[in-house]
PDB file of all heavy atoms in Angstrom:
ATOM      1  N   GLY O  18      17.903  81.689  19.706  1.00 97.00           N
ATOM      2  CA  GLY O  18      17.713  83.115  19.888  1.00 97.00           C
ATOM      3  C   GLY O  18      18.552  83.692  21.144  1.00 97.00           C
ATOM      4  O   GLY O  18      19.155  84.663  20.999  1.00 97.00           O
ATOM      5  N   ALA O  42      11.292  99.806  -3.885  1.00 98.00           N
ATOM      6  CA  ALA O  42      10.242  99.746  -4.916  1.00 98.00           C
ATOM      7  C   ALA O  42      10.646 100.596  -6.106  1.00 98.00           C
ATOM      8  O   ALA O  42      11.539 101.559  -5.971  1.00 98.00           O
ATOM      9  CB  ALA O  42       9.018 100.370  -4.267  1.00 98.00           C
ATOM     10  N   HIS O 108      33.851 114.787   3.084  1.00 98.00           N
ATOM     11  CA  HIS O 108      33.392 113.469   3.696  1.00 98.00           C
ATOM     12  C   HIS O 108      33.937 112.325   2.686  1.00 98.00           C
ATOM     13  O   HIS O 108      34.264 112.596   1.566  1.00 98.00           O
ATOM     14  CB  HIS O 108      31.836 113.449   3.826  1.00 98.00           C
ATOM     15  CG  HIS O 108      31.106 114.107   2.738  1.00 98.00           C
ATOM     16  ND1 HIS O 108      30.994 113.663   1.494  1.00 98.00           N
ATOM     17  CD2 HIS O 108      30.373 115.260   2.703  1.00 98.00           C
ATOM     18  CE1 HIS O 108      30.238 114.470   0.791  1.00 98.00           C
ATOM     19  NE2 HIS O 108      29.896 115.496   1.519  1.00 98.00           N
ATOM     20  N   ASP O 137      24.622 120.725 -16.662  1.00 98.00           N
ATOM     21  CA  ASP O 137      26.058 120.361 -16.317  1.00 98.00           C
ATOM     22  C   ASP O 137      26.014 119.277 -15.144  1.00 98.00           C
ATOM     23  O   ASP O 137      25.214 119.267 -14.314  1.00 98.00           O
ATOM     24  CB  ASP O 137      26.723 121.525 -15.698  1.00 98.00           C
ATOM     25  CG  ASP O 137      27.030 122.688 -16.716  1.00 98.00           C
ATOM     26  OD1 ASP O 137      26.818 122.407 -17.877  1.00 98.00           O
ATOM     27  OD2 ASP O 137      27.378 123.760 -16.218  1.00 98.00           O
ATOM     28  N   ALA O 143      35.082 111.827  -3.128  1.00 98.00           N
ATOM     29  CA  ALA O 143      35.357 111.542  -1.744  1.00 98.00           C
ATOM     30  C   ALA O 143      36.524 112.460  -1.246  1.00 98.00           C
ATOM     31  O   ALA O 143      37.581 112.448  -1.807  1.00 98.00           O
ATOM     32  CB  ALA O 143      35.615 110.075  -1.477  1.00 98.00           C
ATOM     33  N   PRO O 189      36.555 132.420 -12.692  1.00 89.00           N
ATOM     34  CA  PRO O 189      36.542 132.403 -14.152  1.00 89.00           C
ATOM     35  C   PRO O 189      35.461 131.450 -14.707  1.00 89.00           C
ATOM     36  O   PRO O 189      35.067 130.558 -14.011  1.00 89.00           O
ATOM     37  CB  PRO O 189      37.965 131.974 -14.579  1.00 89.00           C
ATOM     38  CG  PRO O 189      38.427 131.117 -13.378  1.00 89.00           C
ATOM     39  CD  PRO O 189      37.690 131.745 -12.224  1.00 89.00           C
ATOM     40  N   ILE O 251      25.298 108.306 -23.597  1.00 98.00           N
ATOM     41  CA  ILE O 251      26.813 108.504 -23.313  1.00 98.00           C
ATOM     42  C   ILE O 251      26.965 108.178 -21.790  1.00 98.00           C
ATOM     43  O   ILE O 251      26.077 108.383 -21.030  1.00 98.00           O
ATOM     44  CB  ILE O 251      27.244 109.852 -23.660  1.00 98.00           C
ATOM     45  CG1 ILE O 251      26.408 110.951 -23.044  1.00 98.00           C
ATOM     46  CG2 ILE O 251      27.276 110.093 -25.176  1.00 98.00           C
ATOM     47  CD1 ILE O 251      27.017 111.674 -21.891  1.00 98.00           C
ATOM     48  N   PRO O 264      34.115 106.177  -8.103  1.00 98.00           N
ATOM     49  CA  PRO O 264      34.338 104.711  -7.964  1.00 98.00           C
ATOM     50  C   PRO O 264      33.035 103.931  -7.684  1.00 98.00           C
ATOM     51  O   PRO O 264      33.024 102.762  -7.994  1.00 98.00           O
ATOM     52  CB  PRO O 264      35.279 104.631  -6.759  1.00 98.00           C
ATOM     53  CG  PRO O 264      35.184 105.946  -6.060  1.00 98.00           C
ATOM     54  CD  PRO O 264      34.803 107.007  -7.111  1.00 98.00           C
ATOM     55  N   ARG O 282      14.171  95.789 -20.149  1.00 97.00           N
ATOM     56  CA  ARG O 282      15.306  94.950 -19.720  1.00 97.00           C
ATOM     57  C   ARG O 282      15.394  94.953 -18.190  1.00 97.00           C
ATOM     58  O   ARG O 282      14.884  95.782 -17.514  1.00 97.00           O
ATOM     59  CB  ARG O 282      16.592  95.443 -20.331  1.00 97.00           C
ATOM     60  CG  ARG O 282      17.023  96.807 -19.860  1.00 97.00           C
ATOM     61  CD  ARG O 282      18.034  97.455 -20.831  1.00 97.00           C
ATOM     62  NE  ARG O 282      17.471  97.726 -22.093  1.00 97.00           N
ATOM     63  CZ  ARG O 282      18.105  98.253 -23.153  1.00 97.00           C
ATOM     64  NH1 ARG O 282      19.353  98.587 -23.003  1.00 97.00           N
ATOM     65  NH2 ARG O 282      17.571  98.435 -24.220  1.00 97.00           N
ATOM     66  N   SER O 287      21.140  99.136  -9.158  1.00 98.00           N
ATOM     67  CA  SER O 287      20.001 100.089  -8.949  1.00 98.00           C
ATOM     68  C   SER O 287      20.312 101.480  -9.543  1.00 98.00           C
ATOM     69  O   SER O 287      21.435 101.880  -9.450  1.00 98.00           O
ATOM     70  CB  SER O 287      19.514 100.137  -7.550  1.00 98.00           C
ATOM     71  OG  SER O 287      20.607 100.716  -6.715  1.00 98.00           O
ATOM     72  N   VAL O 289      18.850 105.728 -10.486  1.00 98.00           N
ATOM     73  CA  VAL O 289      17.890 106.861 -10.395  1.00 98.00           C
ATOM     74  C   VAL O 289      18.002 107.595 -11.751  1.00 98.00           C
ATOM     75  O   VAL O 289      19.042 107.822 -12.209  1.00 98.00           O
ATOM     76  CB  VAL O 289      18.183 107.785  -9.241  1.00 98.00           C
ATOM     77  CG1 VAL O 289      17.194 108.917  -9.249  1.00 98.00           C
ATOM     78  CG2 VAL O 289      18.106 107.014  -7.880  1.00 98.00           C
ATOM     79  N   SER O 306       4.260 104.721 -15.751  1.00 98.00           N
ATOM     80  CA  SER O 306       4.278 105.929 -15.021  1.00 98.00           C
ATOM     81  C   SER O 306       4.622 107.004 -16.095  1.00 98.00           C
ATOM     82  O   SER O 306       5.762 106.979 -16.639  1.00 98.00           O
ATOM     83  CB  SER O 306       5.244 106.003 -13.920  1.00 98.00           C
ATOM     84  OG  SER O 306       4.903 105.150 -12.816  1.00 98.00           O
ATOM     85  N   ALA O 315      13.206 105.882  -9.375  1.00 98.00           N
ATOM     86  CA  ALA O 315      14.095 104.989  -8.863  1.00 98.00           C
ATOM     87  C   ALA O 315      13.745 103.547  -9.423  1.00 98.00           C
ATOM     88  O   ALA O 315      12.635 103.148  -9.412  1.00 98.00           O
ATOM     89  CB  ALA O 315      13.960 104.899  -7.352  1.00 98.00           C
ATOM     90  N   ALA O 350      19.239  91.225 -18.545  1.00 95.00           N
ATOM     91  CA  ALA O 350      18.303  90.393 -19.463  1.00 95.00           C
ATOM     92  C   ALA O 350      17.500  91.318 -20.268  1.00 95.00           C
ATOM     93  O   ALA O 350      16.884  92.230 -19.755  1.00 95.00           O
ATOM     94  CB  ALA O 350      17.453  89.470 -18.550  1.00 95.00           C
TER      95      ALA O 350
END
Side-chain angles (χ1 to χ4, degrees):
H108 37 68
D137 294 346
I251 55 106
R282 68 195 65 178
S287 62
V289 177
S306 293

